[in-house]
Structure formats: C-alpha cells, structure tokens
Amino acid sequence: MMSDHAPAQLAYLGLNVSDLPHWHDYAARILGLEVDAGSDLSYLRMDDYSYRLLLTRGTRDDLDLLGWEMRDDAALQALRARLEAAGVAVRSGSRDALNARRVTALIEFEDPSGIRMEACVGPLIERARPFRSPRAMSNFVTGALGFGHITMTVDSLDKSLAFYRDLLGMRLSDWVRPQPERGVESHLNIAFLRCNSRHHSVAFWEMQLPKRLHHFMLQVANVDDVGATYYLCKDRDVPIELGLGRHTNDGMLSFYAQTPSGFSVEYGWGATEVDETTWRTQLHTTGSSWGHRPGG
Ligand SMILES: [Fe+2]
C-alpha cells in the first residue's frame, strides 16, 4: 500500500503536437484509440475513462503534462500540503481547467525539470458509452493501473528521485544501467517508478535531449494485438524504432513505433504486475532479454 498522498495512478497524458489531423488518423488507424477531435484540443479514449490522452495543438511535439489521479479529496489535500511544505508552488485548477480535464478537483504544479504536473480527483467515467476501438483488436490494459507509462529525460536524476519517490511517494521498482560497449563510456542510469502494481508509470534518466519524451506505452490484453499492430505499421510505412522484444524488468513483450511527433509509442503485452509484499528493487544491465533491435 502506497502512502495516502501518493498518486493512485497516471490517469492521463498530455502531448503537445504540431499536426493534429495526422495524429487523429494515427491514433484511430494505428493505435486503435477513439478520437474526439477538436481544432486545438483532442481527446483520445481507450477505456471507460472519457479520455486517457490529451492532444494540444502546438509547436513542441513533446510531452505537455502528466495527470495523476488521487484516490479522493483527502489524498489530494494531503499531496498539496506536502508539496507546499517542500516549497513547490501549487495552483488550484480553474473552473475552465476542471471542465477541460473533465474532473471534479484539480491542482497544478511542476516537477524539478519544469514538466507540468496535474493531480486530480473524480475523472469522468463513461460506462454507458463503452469504449469501441475503431479497428479490430481486444482491449487495453488500464483500470487501476492507469493509462500506461512514459519514459523521459530529466535535468537532475537526484532532484527527480527526491520529487517522485520522496515527495510524491512513488516506489522505485528497479534500475537499468546498460553496460557500456568496450571503449565507450556510458552513464545511462534509468530509474523506474511505480504508484500501483503497474511496474512503472514513469521512468527517467538524466540527459539533455531535444525532446523530454522518449516514448509512452499502451498495453493491450492480447499478444496478437502486438503482432498485428507491428505488421500494420510495416504495411502503412510507420517507422519501427525498435522491433519486437521482451523487456528484462517489467517483462513486457513489445515494439516501438514512431509517432507523428517524432517520439515513440511502445505497444506492449504481458507485463509483470508488482506484488507489494514480495517485490524488491532490482538492478538490470540490459533493457531487453531479447529483441528490441533498432529498426525492427
Ligand atoms: Fe516502456
């Protein structure tokens, strides 16, 4: 059991994208998401939640914000008090922000790298209008695990650990520290953090790159959806960043495709869920037990 002030799940992901029409087509035809398309703001749906991805028209083609869901108002207030005690500026969501996010309560703040964070209570659940993928597939694995996960670069590993682990109350599932090739120095050190039994909702490493976001991950219920989507990408000339493979740490069988914004989407199946009573923080020196080769 996580602390009272810890997020229950990563409920939604905001992306700043330059080509909304391309994204609408990509989300529906490649990813299998329902698209509620707007001219400046679009909502992508994958389960009972009225949306899980928010696309905002812009120029950055990068991560826009992370939306953390709290169990209830008391948990939101506990988090707010904790953030403010640590000197983090917190704003209450405006009426317009509540409407745009379709939640009953919302606070806004930033992580140590300046990444926009929101913590909410009471997301709109649309059980009377069940999710229907626009293409043939099973369904996405979400529920209490949240929408999926993201990996990103941060300005300071130490400051981000202090923020996500010590302040937000997330837990460190493991580290991946790839062994450098002979003669090549590598300081890559990736931290994987969870807030529920999904092995990680967020992973990060310290590096300066043009984009914060490396990839976001969507998990499907049937392994055939991974294989079918892999070949759908091939058939429709969607670039494969990393071919089919199995991750060492969360056991995810997945591949990575390029999105219209340049960062990747991981499409995966079969991840291990963390049992809090037995899990111990692990160290891995390779990210994949097989596959995930560049270009597929
Ligand atoms: Fe991933």
Side-chain angles (χ1 to χ4, degrees):
M1 186 71 184
M2 301 280 171
S3 314
D4 285 346
H5 60 265
Q9 62 165 273
L10 185 51
Y12 56 88
L13 170 66
L15 301 172
N16 182 292
V17 308
S18 59
D19 191 346
L20 262 184
H22 189 181
W23 261 99
H24 296 156
D25 183 65
Y26 183 87
R29 287 166 33 124
I30 305 296
L31 302 180
L33 305 175
E34 269 184 44
V35 178
D36 176 2
S39 53
D40 293 308
L41 177 65
S42 298
Y43 298 86
L44 306 183
R45 188 171 179 211
M46 57 193 288
D47 60 6
D48 281 354
Y49 279 54
S50 79
Y51 70 93
R52 290 291 200 170
L53 281 92
L54 274 173
L55 305 179
T56 303
R57 195 158 65 91
T59 56
R60 293 194 292 112
D61 282 309
D62 200 357
L63 177 62
D64 188 18
L65 56 89
L66 299 182
W68 301 101
E69 182 182 338
M70 308 302 292
R71 279 176 189 79
D72 53 22
D73 291 316
L76 186 71
Q77 289 317 314
L79 175 62
R80 178 173 197 148
R82 206 172 157 78
L83 289 166
E84 288 176 338
V88 177
V90 181
R91 294 172 303 278
S92 298
S94 65
R95 179 55 52 191
D96 284 350
L98 294 180
N99 288 336
R101 297 294 183 261
R102 304 173 178 170
V103 296
T104 61
L106 184 77
I107 60 172
E108 302 164 346
F109 50 101
E110 289 183 356
D111 90 342
S113 301
I115 297 166
R116 285 174 68 191
M117 303 275 120
E118 297 179 351
C120 71
V121 177
L124 177 63
I125 307 295
E126 297 196 79
R127 219 152 265 157
R129 189 173 72 84
F131 168 69
R132 294 264 185 271
S133 175
R135 71 172 178 84
M137 62 175 294
S138 62
N139 55 286
F140 293 98
V141 177
T142 56
L145 302 179
F147 94 92
H149 71 229
I150 73 153
T151 71
M152 62 185 184
T153 54
V154 295
D155 293 346
S156 159
L157 183 65
D158 289 344
K159 284 183 183 170
S160 291
L161 275 178
F163 181 83
Y164 289 94
R165 182 189 58 193
D166 306 337
L167 198 51
L168 292 193
M170 296 177 70
R171 288 191 174 157
L172 190 62
S173 294
D174 45 44
W175 294 96
V176 174
R177 295 175 186 165
Q179 286 181 325
E181 291 179 35
R182 236 180 262 277
V184 179
E185 211 177 351
S186 170
H187 300 290
L188 204 56
N189 190 12
I190 313 170
F192 293 78
L193 290 103
R194 70 182 184 277
C195 57
N196 53 48
S197 58
R198 188 182 289 290
H199 173 275
H200 57 285
S201 290
V202 165
F204 50 75
W205 65 100
E206 184 178 313
M207 192 177 277
Q208 298 297 326
L209 291 175
K211 291 185 197 298
R212 287 274 181 213
L213 187 61
H214 177 267
H215 71 269
F216 66 91
M217 186 285 301
L218 304 179
Q219 186 175 345
V220 287
N222 188 328
V223 69
D224 290 335
D225 294 325
V226 175
T229 307
Y230 178 80
Y231 283 100
L232 185 63
C233 288
K234 293 246 180 207
D235 290 347
R236 302 210 174 155
D237 296 323
V238 174
I240 303 291
E241 297 287 356
L242 300 172
L244 289 163
R246 175 81 80 167
H247 278 304
T248 49
N249 58 351
D250 66 357
M252 186 86 76
L253 192 157
S254 62
F255 75 97
Y256 293 65
Q258 193 181 92
T259 69
S261 288
F263 51 73
S264 299
V265 57
E266 179 182 10
Y267 214 79
W269 167 87
T272 303
E273 287 186 26
V274 168
D275 177 350
E276 292 294 339
T277 61
T278 56
W279 190 269
R280 301 289 182 270
T281 304
Q282 300 175 2
L283 170 65
H284 300 274
T285 54
T286 174
S288 306
S289 40
W290 58 266
H292 287 142
R293 288 184 186 163

